[in-house]
Amino acid sequence: MMSSQSAVFLGIDIGTQGVRTLAVNEHGQILATADRTFPLDKQRQEQSPKQWWQMMSLCLLEMVEELKKQVSPTYWRTVSVTSTSGTVLALDQNDQPVSPALMYSDSRPEQEAKMCREAVQQQPPDFGGYRSFNTSSALPEVLWYVRHHPERAERIHRWVHATDYLIGRLSGVWGISDYTNVLKTGYDLLQHQWPDYIQSQLGLPLSWFPKVVAPGTPLGTITPEASAATGLPVHLQVTAGMTDGCASQVASGAIAPGEWNTTIGTTLVIKGVTRERVVDSRGRFYSHKHPQGHWMPGGASNTGSDWVSKDYRHEELGELTEKAEKLTPTSWLAYPLQGKGERFPFVASEAVGFEPDGLRPEERFAARMEGVAYLERLAYETAESLSGEQVKAVYTAGGASQNNTWLQIRSSVLNRLVIRMKNISGAMGAAILSASQSYYSGLQEAVSYLVTVEKQVEPHPQKHEVYQERYHQFLERLREKGYLAGDPK
């Protein structure tokens, strides 16, 4: 057993393809994990909330057995949940599902997304709700279900996000959600209310929508029924959760004003913290509300590292990286967009990728890494221009952050220190969040104790001088093609 000084915090992440659970102590040491996958239908439209609960329970039972070998349940303090943004389901008066879980990746609510955008256009300029609704937003999904299944509408008592549903099953507390999950359901984060247009123009009763609290707010403890199913002790404090993207940002360490996180996976995503809400008329950025009253603006590109697995075999990446490092900075300009259309850090529906012809594999590899770094720099310059606040630190996550050559390229292009943390995952973010208001004084204190730096990369002065010129050449190429118009504002 560990000492009585080692409190333990638990996190649960329900993702698109599976569930992961994690337990961490107050020294930031991960004590136990478990994960399960579940099948994903080809359309990626619906999932079974029953399956979520079953797989989560199996993970927790497995993890609890391992955790008991290390520390007594007496010292297990808190648990929270994160899940995908925009995944929702309807419940009846007994909090039983009326609908399947409608996934964020469901493309069916296209017409309903348009209806939501038209309805919100009539709101005043200082409206604090979401405006850029698309098929991945929760509000269009709710509207789609009601329009296509009117016979079930009378059975609906409330709508919940995936995170809310699992927290409800654990704690028995229903009808509460958090700042991050409600953003794309239309909640006004400035007035702290559900706007009237949801009912008056879209015909959705406001009584269907939850009370909203800050992520990490203590809600209750584990019910006897949930304890029997999961092995979790009944004294364990359950707190409000957050979306998986925000939870990963928390785990990255970027939680104080001026701190930002870049995650490069399939796409490039940046999220940060500002003192004031970022308003972007072009729809590149949107802002979540921070648990401690700040704002969490972010944006997601259609460009990222998807080209790596598409064009290169995993076993050749080490040699390619070694060769590419010797070539940087290169003289080639590459924009490795794989599809058509860009949404961040600029909006251009006709955008297509470009790169010089005739490059050897390592040359193309190096140029593409640089191209993504140029997009990252443009994103941060745009963030500073819109917010009027300085980007003070860049933390990083995602598969691309494991490539040290790419880290050095990015640091030199950005001319900033780039910091990679250990244990960056949604489940880790959920565990940190759970402790933030129940054990620590806030999210910043929780992160200071639970998050550990793995690597720091400083910009290379000579390489930055070259990249400074290349970056502006890259921007000029974007302008020539009509993708980038005017200044970042």
Side-chain angles (χ1 to χ4, degrees):
M1 294 288 180
M2 299 183 72
S3 76
S4 62
Q5 300 302 310
S6 296
V8 176
F9 317 110
L10 284 67
I12 301 166
D13 180 16
I14 306 293
T16 304
Q17 301 182 59
V19 56
R20 177 177 174 82
T21 60
L22 174 149
V24 60
N25 69 12
E26 61 184 294
H27 307 296
Q29 299 168 317
I30 293 180
L31 305 180
T33 64
D35 58 80
R36 292 283 193 284
T37 59
F38 37 73
L40 184 65
D41 69 271
K42 293 182 179 180
Q43 289 74 35
R44 297 179 65 168
Q45 296 173 342
E46 299 177 356
Q47 284 184 335
S48 165
K50 180 180 179 181
Q51 185 177 64
W52 289 344
W53 177 253
Q54 290 173 337
M55 292 298 180
M56 186 183 81
S57 296
L58 288 172
C59 280
L60 288 170
L61 286 168
E62 176 185 331
M63 187 178 75
V64 160
E65 287 305 307
E66 175 61 28
L67 194 54
K68 284 180 178 177
K69 298 175 185 177
Q70 303 178 63
V71 58
S72 167
T74 304
Y75 304 116
W76 305 2
R77 304 298 190 199
T78 59
V79 64
S80 195
V81 182
T82 184
S83 190
T84 51
S85 172
T87 299
V88 291
L89 65 149
L91 303 180
D92 64 17
Q93 288 190 331
N94 298 314
D95 292 310
Q96 297 299 309
V98 172
S99 72
L102 307 175
M103 295 179 66
Y104 70 94
S105 49
D106 185 353
S107 61
R108 292 175 294 183
E110 187 172 350
Q111 180 61 34
E112 288 73 20
K114 181 180 179 182
M115 293 169 65
C116 292
R117 290 194 299 271
E118 291 173 347
V120 79
Q121 282 178 358
Q122 301 178 35
Q123 300 300 305
D126 60 350
F127 174 60
Y130 193 65
R131 293 179 181 272
S132 304
F133 291 105
N134 55 42
T135 56
S136 67
S137 305
L139 189 60
E141 292 168 5
V142 172
L143 184 59
W144 178 89
Y145 189 81
V146 172
R147 294 182 72 211
H148 287 77
H149 299 282
E151 73 284 358
R152 300 184 193 175
E154 63 181 24
R155 293 179 53 203
I156 297 174
H157 179 61
R158 69 171 104 249
W159 282 88
V160 296
H161 306 90
T163 302
D164 311 335
Y165 175 75
L166 294 162
I167 286 174
R169 289 292 303 263
L170 288 170
S171 66
V173 177
W174 298 95
I176 295 180
S177 190
D178 67 273
Y179 294 156
T180 66
N181 273 289
V182 298
L183 174 69
K184 296 182 182 180
T185 318
Y187 187 75
D188 186 333
L189 290 169
L190 289 178
Q191 298 300 319
H192 294 280
Q193 64 185 17
W194 292 100
D196 180 67
Y197 80 83
I198 292 177
Q199 182 165 293
S200 62
Q201 296 183 56
L202 300 178
L204 303 174
L206 294 183
S207 61
W208 281 353
F209 297 90
K211 176 185 175 182
V212 181
V213 300
T217 299
L219 299 179
T221 53
I222 301 293
T223 67
E225 295 79 11
S227 177
T230 65
L232 298 177
V234 293
H235 72 263
L236 197 67
Q237 178 73 63
V238 183
T239 76
M242 65 183 353
T243 64
D244 54 358
C246 290
S248 294
Q249 178 182 344
V250 167
S252 80
I255 44 74
E259 296 176 345
W260 288 74
N261 167 252
T262 301
T263 297
I264 306 179
T266 302
T267 61
L268 179 149
V269 179
I270 76 164
K271 292 178 178 289
V273 182
T274 56
R275 298 188 184 279
E276 301 296 330
R277 178 169 170 258
V278 172
V279 178
D280 181 9
S281 61
R282 299 184 191 175
R284 296 158 297 183
F285 283 87
Y286 57 86
S287 291
H288 286 290
K289 191 166 186 179
H290 191 284
Q292 293 181 245
H294 307 307
W295 292 90
M296 300 169 71
S301 177
N302 289 338
T303 309
S305 64
D306 51 347
W307 53 270
V308 176
S309 58
K310 176 176 177 288
D311 293 340
Y312 300 97
R313 300 190 310 275
H314 179 74
E315 56 268 23
E316 66 180 328
L317 294 180
E319 183 179 355
L320 275 171
T321 298
E322 186 176 336
K323 290 180 177 179
E325 183 178 11
K326 298 174 182 177
L327 297 171
T328 60
T330 78
S331 60
W332 308 299
L333 299 178
Y335 170 37
L337 175 66
Q338 297 300 290
K340 183 179 180 180
E342 185 59 275
R343 55 181 171 155
F344 182 84
F346 56 88
V347 178
S349 60
E350 299 301 312
V352 293
F354 57 78
E355 60 190 28
D357 294 329
L359 295 181
R360 297 194 304 270
E362 63 271 22
E363 293 172 339
R364 183 173 59 168
F365 192 80
R368 287 180 172 184
M369 287 193 291
E370 291 174 336
V372 175
Y374 298 147
L375 290 176
E376 183 180 7
R377 176 169 168 176
L378 177 58
Y380 283 124
E381 289 183 354
T382 304
E384 289 185 327
S385 176
L386 289 170
S387 68
E389 300 180 31
Q390 183 183 359
V391 175
K392 298 177 181 177
V394 174
Y395 297 83
T396 192
S401 70
Q402 300 303 311
N403 185 314
N404 290 334
T405 296
W406 205 345
L407 279 180
Q408 185 62 67
I409 290 171
R410 292 168 52 204
S411 178
S412 296
V413 169
L414 296 173
N415 199 29
R416 299 178 188 276
L417 175 71
V418 176
I419 306 163
R420 185 174 72 207
M421 313 300 279
K422 289 183 179 179
N423 308 321
I424 300 172
S425 69
M428 182 65 172
I432 296 169
L433 179 71
S434 76
S436 65
Q437 295 182 48
S438 299
Y439 192 81
Y440 298 103
S441 63
L443 193 56
Q444 289 178 232
E445 184 184 17
V447 165
S448 71
Y449 281 97
L450 302 179
V451 173
T452 305
V453 173
E454 182 177 66
K455 188 177 182 64
Q456 299 186 70
V457 180
E458 296 272 4
H460 190 288
Q462 287 76 30
K463 289 187 176 184
H464 171 68
E465 289 184 13
V466 179
Y467 278 133
Q468 182 79 351
E469 181 180 353
R470 298 283 187 272
Y471 170 66
H472 289 289
Q473 291 172 349
F474 181 78
L475 295 187
E476 186 57 35
R477 182 70 59 85
L478 294 178
R479 292 190 183 97
E480 289 172 358
K481 290 180 174 293
Y483 302 161
L484 188 63
D487 60 46
K489 292 183 181 179

